[in-house]
Amino acid sequence: EVQLLESGGGLVQPGGSLRLSCAASGFTFSSYAMSWVRQAPGKGLDWVSAITGSGGSRYYADSVKGRFTISRDNSKNTLYLQMNSLRAEDTAVYYCGKDQEYYDSSDFFDYWGQGTLVTVSS
Amino acid sequence: SYELTQPPSVSVSPGQTASITCSGDKLGDKYASWYQQKPGQSPVLVIYQDNRRPSGIPERLSGSKSGNTATLTISGTQAMDEADYYCQAWDSSTVVFGGGTKLTVL
């Protein structure tokens, strides 16, 4: 059974940093791309970042480029999102999502974690 | 940046058919996927690659595409189908979601 478990959310001041983790199990983690998707309170889904299975390629939404860094440790079956220079508009539930083997035009998320809430406020 | 447009809300009577559309430039050349999200829960994949249904998703949910518009159709709508639905596509190495449609079963 595929499981994705996010952690690391919490309250942080504007300009602060936070690192999210997503522990994966039930599938060959290194064979699949992974993504972070966020959802602000009462709003829709907003893709944040993706990383290929090997970690060799990373992709970011313009809104987080230069502030967030996605990474993975395939030996620990864990996905990360380092978030720096946080802003109020980054407040959201952050989900990790399991992509497909290849991060390409046929991509979709077949499994999602339960999400972790990040609140940016003074 | 690429955009996908969905109606904010759709209403349907129990037992009837609901259709939720998703339109985008050149969507006809891309794959569309659909997710269902109920209050307080994580999204669930219900349709991928335009019209393929994951295991465990009821047959009454189906996907189609015509031109640059993808459609999620729910036949014989049940109260349990009341949820937010999001379409998704991939463009220029980024994932794009539609704004979401709230399906109300009256």
Side-chain angles (χ1 to χ4, degrees):
Chain A
E1 178 192 7
V2 172
Q3 291 193 347
L4 301 172
L5 185 61
E6 302 95 336
S7 61
L11 174 64
V12 61
Q13 293 187 339
S17 298
L18 212 56
R19 188 177 85 153
L20 306 183
S21 299
C22 171
S25 61
F27 64 103
T28 305
F29 183 68
S30 60
S31 293
Y32 292 88
M34 296 290 295
S35 285
W36 289 98
V37 177
R38 67 185 179 182
Q39 186 170 35
K43 302 297 184 182
L45 301 175
D46 181 32
W47 175 80
V48 173
S49 182
I51 187 168
T52 54
S54 65
S57 295
R58 310 178 192 201
Y59 307 90
Y60 299 94
D62 288 343
S63 58
V64 306
K65 204 171 293 184
R67 300 188 300 123
F68 290 11
T69 301
I70 191 171
S71 62
R72 64 192 296 160
D73 185 336
N74 287 343
S75 69
K76 296 182 178 179
N77 288 353
T78 303
L79 175 72
Y80 303 100
L81 185 67
Q82 177 67 43
M83 305 185 295
N84 299 330
S85 303
L86 282 161
R87 308 166 178 167
E89 54 264 37
D90 296 318
T91 294
V93 172
Y94 284 72
Y95 297 99
C96 64
K98 174 182 170 289
D99 291 72
Q100 301 310 294
E101 287 188 63
Y102 301 105
Y103 183 68
D104 62 16
S105 59
S106 63
D107 194 47
F108 56 92
F109 307 113
D110 52 359
Y111 292 94
W112 298 66
Q114 87 291 345
T116 187
L117 176 62
V118 172
T119 303
V120 184
S121 174
S122 55
Chain B
S1 61
Y2 192 73
E3 293 184 356
L4 293 172
T5 301
Q6 299 180 234
S9 62
V10 169
S11 298
V12 63
S13 299
Q16 298 303 302
T17 297
S19 295
I20 300 173
T21 58
C22 172
S23 61
D25 185 41
K26 297 181 180 178
L27 183 58
D29 298 330
K30 308 176 189 299
Y31 280 120
S33 298
W34 291 91
Y35 302 88
Q36 176 193 72
Q37 187 180 34
K38 297 181 179 180
Q41 298 183 18
S42 302
V44 173
L45 176 72
V46 294
I47 295 291
Y48 66 100
Q49 293 177 355
D50 295 340
N51 54 22
R52 304 183 71 173
R53 196 169 39 246
S55 60
I57 300 302
E59 290 185 11
R60 65 177 183 277
L61 276 72
S62 63
S64 61
K65 195 167 64 178
S66 178
N68 292 326
T69 299
T71 302
L72 174 69
T73 301
I74 307 175
S75 305
T77 306
Q78 301 180 9
M80 65 184 297
D81 299 322
E82 187 163 284
D84 293 327
Y85 291 85
Y86 296 91
C87 60
Q88 173 252 309
W90 192 94
D91 178 77
S92 301
S93 298
T94 66
V95 171
V96 180
F97 290 99
T101 298
K102 181 176 183 59
L103 177 67
T104 301
V105 182
L106 299 171

